[in-house]
Amino acid sequence: MTSNMISTSAPAAPASTWTVAPESFSTPDATALRRAYFAEVAGRYWKRAATEAEIDQGLLDSPDDGLAPPTGQFVVGRLDGKPLACGGIRLLDPVTAELTRVYVDQRARGLGGGAALLAVLEEAARELGAERVRLDTRSDLVEARALYARHGYREIPAYNSGPYAEHWFEKRLV
């Protein structure tokens, strides 16, 4: 698999640059981002801050298996060198990849990080042989749903029965 790295200028701050590259989900930066992702999605769902113990349990309950070659890829996005975004892709079957753990720190939202993540993760999916990317998300994650719609993902019928899945999206890659 190639390095899948992208560097883009952020639209709101031309001097800022995103770099997105594959990284093991167990590095300190990736771990901190995965914890921040879970803290935010759990906190929004529960309408209260998630505790450290709840974050620990959530990470155990939702392992990142499949997010490493040869079945997937995890990436970290850095804005001017600071790790502020992450995401993963994994194969569901030989032609279908699933997008997961897409997160941009609140301090960096609106600066092009989501688009940079999607570009790298979609390319990783192509390299894995995928012809389409699917994902599920919740109704309260309105920023995520808007990001996916802006980048060509369309709502589809449910393809899984995840306990928190309320919306399902797909994008053809070929």
PDB file of all heavy atoms in Angstrom, residues 135-140 145 155-156 158-160 164-169:
ATOM      1  N   LEU A 135     -20.873   3.928   5.171  1.00  0.00           N
ATOM      2  CA  LEU A 135     -20.705   4.339   6.561  1.00  0.00           C
ATOM      3  C   LEU A 135     -22.068   4.444   7.200  1.00  0.00           C
ATOM      4  O   LEU A 135     -23.085   4.531   6.514  1.00  0.00           O
ATOM      5  CB  LEU A 135     -19.969   5.688   6.644  1.00  0.00           C
ATOM      6  CG  LEU A 135     -20.697   6.892   6.049  1.00  0.00           C
ATOM      7  CD1 LEU A 135     -21.434   7.687   7.126  1.00  0.00           C
ATOM      8  CD2 LEU A 135     -19.722   7.773   5.311  1.00  0.00           C
ATOM      9  N   ASP A 136     -22.046   4.406   8.527  1.00  0.00           N
ATOM     10  CA  ASP A 136     -23.269   4.698   9.266  1.00  0.00           C
ATOM     11  C   ASP A 136     -22.956   5.811  10.254  1.00  0.00           C
ATOM     12  O   ASP A 136     -21.814   6.008  10.656  1.00  0.00           O
ATOM     13  CB  ASP A 136     -23.840   3.459   9.973  1.00  0.00           C
ATOM     14  CG  ASP A 136     -22.952   2.930  11.067  1.00  0.00           C
ATOM     15  OD1 ASP A 136     -22.744   3.623  12.082  1.00  0.00           O
ATOM     16  OD2 ASP A 136     -22.461   1.789  10.934  1.00  0.00           O
ATOM     17  N   THR A 137     -23.985   6.555  10.613  1.00  0.00           N
ATOM     18  CA  THR A 137     -23.826   7.640  11.566  1.00  0.00           C
ATOM     19  C   THR A 137     -25.149   7.878  12.271  1.00  0.00           C
ATOM     20  O   THR A 137     -26.143   7.197  11.997  1.00  0.00           O
ATOM     21  CB  THR A 137     -23.298   8.918  10.859  1.00  0.00           C
ATOM     22  OG1 THR A 137     -22.897   9.868  11.846  1.00  0.00           O
ATOM     23  CG2 THR A 137     -24.308   9.507   9.909  1.00  0.00           C
ATOM     24  N   ARG A 138     -25.139   8.819  13.179  1.00  0.00           N
ATOM     25  CA  ARG A 138     -26.329   9.124  13.971  1.00  0.00           C
ATOM     26  C   ARG A 138     -26.942  10.450  13.539  1.00  0.00           C
ATOM     27  O   ARG A 138     -26.266  11.306  12.960  1.00  0.00           O
ATOM     28  CB  ARG A 138     -25.959   9.211  15.456  1.00  0.00           C
ATOM     29  CG  ARG A 138     -25.442   7.934  16.026  1.00  0.00           C
ATOM     30  CD  ARG A 138     -25.329   7.980  17.538  1.00  0.00           C
ATOM     31  NE  ARG A 138     -25.023   9.276  18.091  1.00  0.00           N
ATOM     32  CZ  ARG A 138     -23.961   9.528  18.865  1.00  0.00           C
ATOM     33  NH1 ARG A 138     -23.113   8.577  19.169  1.00  0.00           N
ATOM     34  NH2 ARG A 138     -23.765  10.732  19.348  1.00  0.00           N
ATOM     35  N   SER A 139     -28.198  10.647  13.914  1.00  0.00           N
ATOM     36  CA  SER A 139     -28.904  11.884  13.581  1.00  0.00           C
ATOM     37  C   SER A 139     -28.277  13.106  14.226  1.00  0.00           C
ATOM     38  O   SER A 139     -28.244  14.183  13.633  1.00  0.00           O
ATOM     39  CB  SER A 139     -30.373  11.788  14.006  1.00  0.00           C
ATOM     40  OG  SER A 139     -31.027  10.809  13.243  1.00  0.00           O
ATOM     41  N   ASP A 140     -27.759  12.951  15.455  1.00  0.00           N
ATOM     42  CA  ASP A 140     -27.209  14.109  16.162  1.00  0.00           C
ATOM     43  C   ASP A 140     -25.840  14.540  15.638  1.00  0.00           C
ATOM     44  O   ASP A 140     -25.376  15.634  15.953  1.00  0.00           O
ATOM     45  CB  ASP A 140     -27.140  13.858  17.667  1.00  0.00           C
ATOM     46  CG  ASP A 140     -26.220  12.717  18.053  1.00  0.00           C
ATOM     47  OD1 ASP A 140     -26.179  11.704  17.332  1.00  0.00           O
ATOM     48  OD2 ASP A 140     -25.563  12.823  19.108  1.00  0.00           O
ATOM     49  N   ARG A 145     -22.824  14.276   8.869  1.00  0.00           N
ATOM     50  CA  ARG A 145     -23.749  14.027   7.765  1.00  0.00           C
ATOM     51  C   ARG A 145     -23.584  15.076   6.668  1.00  0.00           C
ATOM     52  O   ARG A 145     -23.609  14.757   5.478  1.00  0.00           O
ATOM     53  CB  ARG A 145     -25.183  13.957   8.277  1.00  0.00           C
ATOM     54  CG  ARG A 145     -25.379  12.717   9.142  1.00  0.00           C
ATOM     55  CD  ARG A 145     -26.793  12.422   9.614  1.00  0.00           C
ATOM     56  NE  ARG A 145     -27.859  13.221   9.121  1.00  0.00           N
ATOM     57  CZ  ARG A 145     -28.595  14.040   9.875  1.00  0.00           C
ATOM     58  NH1 ARG A 145     -28.357  14.188  11.162  1.00  0.00           N
ATOM     59  NH2 ARG A 145     -29.598  14.702   9.347  1.00  0.00           N
ATOM     60  N   GLU A 155     -27.489   8.957   0.945  1.00  0.00           N
ATOM     61  CA  GLU A 155     -28.134   8.062   1.917  1.00  0.00           C
ATOM     62  C   GLU A 155     -28.655   6.827   1.207  1.00  0.00           C
ATOM     63  O   GLU A 155     -29.154   6.903   0.082  1.00  0.00           O
ATOM     64  CB  GLU A 155     -29.258   8.775   2.667  1.00  0.00           C
ATOM     65  CG  GLU A 155     -28.712   9.661   3.757  1.00  0.00           C
ATOM     66  CD  GLU A 155     -29.633   9.827   4.950  1.00  0.00           C
ATOM     67  OE1 GLU A 155     -30.027   8.809   5.568  1.00  0.00           O
ATOM     68  OE2 GLU A 155     -29.940  10.985   5.261  1.00  0.00           O
ATOM     69  N   ILE A 156     -28.509   5.693   1.892  1.00  0.00           N
ATOM     70  CA  ILE A 156     -28.945   4.392   1.375  1.00  0.00           C
ATOM     71  C   ILE A 156     -29.719   3.676   2.470  1.00  0.00           C
ATOM     72  O   ILE A 156     -29.672   4.078   3.640  1.00  0.00           O
ATOM     73  CB  ILE A 156     -27.733   3.530   0.926  1.00  0.00           C
ATOM     74  CG1 ILE A 156     -26.791   3.263   2.112  1.00  0.00           C
ATOM     75  CG2 ILE A 156     -27.011   4.188  -0.244  1.00  0.00           C
ATOM     76  CD1 ILE A 156     -25.707   2.221   1.845  1.00  0.00           C
ATOM     77  N   ALA A 158     -30.421   0.804   5.285  1.00  0.00           N
ATOM     78  CA  ALA A 158     -29.515   0.239   6.284  1.00  0.00           C
ATOM     79  C   ALA A 158     -28.762  -0.964   5.721  1.00  0.00           C
ATOM     80  O   ALA A 158     -29.362  -1.839   5.106  1.00  0.00           O
ATOM     81  CB  ALA A 158     -30.296  -0.177   7.519  1.00  0.00           C
ATOM     82  N   TYR A 159     -27.450  -0.991   5.920  1.00  0.00           N
ATOM     83  CA  TYR A 159     -26.635  -2.144   5.515  1.00  0.00           C
ATOM     84  C   TYR A 159     -26.098  -2.891   6.729  1.00  0.00           C
ATOM     85  O   TYR A 159     -25.454  -3.924   6.589  1.00  0.00           O
ATOM     86  CB  TYR A 159     -25.485  -1.718   4.596  1.00  0.00           C
ATOM     87  CG  TYR A 159     -24.390  -0.925   5.282  1.00  0.00           C
ATOM     88  CD1 TYR A 159     -23.313  -1.557   5.895  1.00  0.00           C
ATOM     89  CD2 TYR A 159     -24.451   0.462   5.324  1.00  0.00           C
ATOM     90  CE1 TYR A 159     -22.322  -0.830   6.535  1.00  0.00           C
ATOM     91  CE2 TYR A 159     -23.467   1.191   5.952  1.00  0.00           C
ATOM     92  CZ  TYR A 159     -22.407   0.541   6.553  1.00  0.00           C
ATOM     93  OH  TYR A 159     -21.436   1.260   7.193  1.00  0.00           O
ATOM     94  N   ASN A 160     -26.369  -2.357   7.915  1.00  0.00           N
ATOM     95  CA  ASN A 160     -25.978  -3.033   9.148  1.00  0.00           C
ATOM     96  C   ASN A 160     -27.020  -2.725  10.223  1.00  0.00           C
ATOM     97  O   ASN A 160     -27.951  -1.954   9.985  1.00  0.00           O
ATOM     98  CB  ASN A 160     -24.568  -2.615   9.599  1.00  0.00           C
ATOM     99  CG  ASN A 160     -24.486  -1.148   9.993  1.00  0.00           C
ATOM    100  OD1 ASN A 160     -25.478  -0.496  10.300  1.00  0.00           O
ATOM    101  ND2 ASN A 160     -23.285  -0.607   9.980  1.00  0.00           N
ATOM    102  N   TYR A 164     -26.137   2.174  17.268  1.00  0.00           N
ATOM    103  CA  TYR A 164     -26.232   3.629  17.205  1.00  0.00           C
ATOM    104  C   TYR A 164     -26.450   4.142  15.783  1.00  0.00           C
ATOM    105  O   TYR A 164     -26.513   5.348  15.566  1.00  0.00           O
ATOM    106  CB  TYR A 164     -24.962   4.261  17.799  1.00  0.00           C
ATOM    107  CG  TYR A 164     -24.712   3.795  19.206  1.00  0.00           C
ATOM    108  CD1 TYR A 164     -23.688   2.889  19.479  1.00  0.00           C
ATOM    109  CD2 TYR A 164     -25.510   4.210  20.266  1.00  0.00           C
ATOM    110  CE1 TYR A 164     -23.466   2.436  20.772  1.00  0.00           C
ATOM    111  CE2 TYR A 164     -25.297   3.759  21.555  1.00  0.00           C
ATOM    112  CZ  TYR A 164     -24.268   2.874  21.796  1.00  0.00           C
ATOM    113  OH  TYR A 164     -24.068   2.419  23.074  1.00  0.00           O
ATOM    114  N   ALA A 165     -26.557   3.245  14.824  1.00  0.00           N
ATOM    115  CA  ALA A 165     -26.715   3.645  13.419  1.00  0.00           C
ATOM    116  C   ALA A 165     -28.137   4.139  13.166  1.00  0.00           C
ATOM    117  O   ALA A 165     -29.106   3.460  13.489  1.00  0.00           O
ATOM    118  CB  ALA A 165     -26.385   2.472  12.506  1.00  0.00           C
ATOM    119  N   GLU A 166     -28.224   5.340  12.596  1.00  0.00           N
ATOM    120  CA  GLU A 166     -29.519   5.920  12.242  1.00  0.00           C
ATOM    121  C   GLU A 166     -29.566   6.384  10.787  1.00  0.00           C
ATOM    122  O   GLU A 166     -30.654   6.557  10.238  1.00  0.00           O
ATOM    123  CB  GLU A 166     -29.831   7.107  13.164  1.00  0.00           C
ATOM    124  CG  GLU A 166     -29.958   6.695  14.624  1.00  0.00           C
ATOM    125  CD  GLU A 166     -30.095   7.877  15.567  1.00  0.00           C
ATOM    126  OE1 GLU A 166     -29.434   8.906  15.356  1.00  0.00           O
ATOM    127  OE2 GLU A 166     -30.870   7.751  16.527  1.00  0.00           O
ATOM    128  N   HIS A 167     -28.389   6.609  10.216  1.00  0.00           N
ATOM    129  CA  HIS A 167     -28.291   7.015   8.815  1.00  0.00           C
ATOM    130  C   HIS A 167     -27.157   6.206   8.176  1.00  0.00           C
ATOM    131  O   HIS A 167     -26.119   6.022   8.803  1.00  0.00           O
ATOM    132  CB  HIS A 167     -27.960   8.511   8.685  1.00  0.00           C
ATOM    133  CG  HIS A 167     -29.029   9.398   9.234  1.00  0.00           C
ATOM    134  ND1 HIS A 167     -30.076   9.867   8.474  1.00  0.00           N
ATOM    135  CD2 HIS A 167     -29.225   9.899  10.482  1.00  0.00           C
ATOM    136  CE1 HIS A 167     -30.856  10.607   9.228  1.00  0.00           C
ATOM    137  NE2 HIS A 167     -30.367  10.648  10.440  1.00  0.00           N
ATOM    138  N   TRP A 168     -27.379   5.783   6.935  1.00  0.00           N
ATOM    139  CA  TRP A 168     -26.382   4.998   6.212  1.00  0.00           C
ATOM    140  C   TRP A 168     -26.084   5.713   4.908  1.00  0.00           C
ATOM    141  O   TRP A 168     -27.003   6.207   4.247  1.00  0.00           O
ATOM    142  CB  TRP A 168     -26.900   3.595   5.957  1.00  0.00           C
ATOM    143  CG  TRP A 168     -27.138   2.840   7.229  1.00  0.00           C
ATOM    144  CD1 TRP A 168     -26.289   1.943   7.806  1.00  0.00           C
ATOM    145  CD2 TRP A 168     -28.292   2.893   8.078  1.00  0.00           C
ATOM    146  NE1 TRP A 168     -26.828   1.458   8.988  1.00  0.00           N
ATOM    147  CE2 TRP A 168     -28.060   2.031   9.170  1.00  0.00           C
ATOM    148  CE3 TRP A 168     -29.484   3.606   8.050  1.00  0.00           C
ATOM    149  CZ2 TRP A 168     -28.976   1.839  10.204  1.00  0.00           C
ATOM    150  CZ3 TRP A 168     -30.399   3.428   9.070  1.00  0.00           C
ATOM    151  CH2 TRP A 168     -30.137   2.555  10.141  1.00  0.00           C
ATOM    152  N   PHE A 169     -24.817   5.771   4.543  1.00  0.00           N
ATOM    153  CA  PHE A 169     -24.381   6.475   3.342  1.00  0.00           C
ATOM    154  C   PHE A 169     -23.497   5.579   2.493  1.00  0.00           C
ATOM    155  O   PHE A 169     -22.871   4.654   3.018  1.00  0.00           O
ATOM    156  CB  PHE A 169     -23.568   7.724   3.697  1.00  0.00           C
ATOM    157  CG  PHE A 169     -24.370   8.858   4.280  1.00  0.00           C
ATOM    158  CD1 PHE A 169     -24.691   8.889   5.629  1.00  0.00           C
ATOM    159  CD2 PHE A 169     -24.787   9.912   3.480  1.00  0.00           C
ATOM    160  CE1 PHE A 169     -25.427   9.930   6.177  1.00  0.00           C
ATOM    161  CE2 PHE A 169     -25.515  10.969   4.020  1.00  0.00           C
ATOM    162  CZ  PHE A 169     -25.837  10.980   5.370  1.00  0.00           C
TER     163      PHE A 169
END
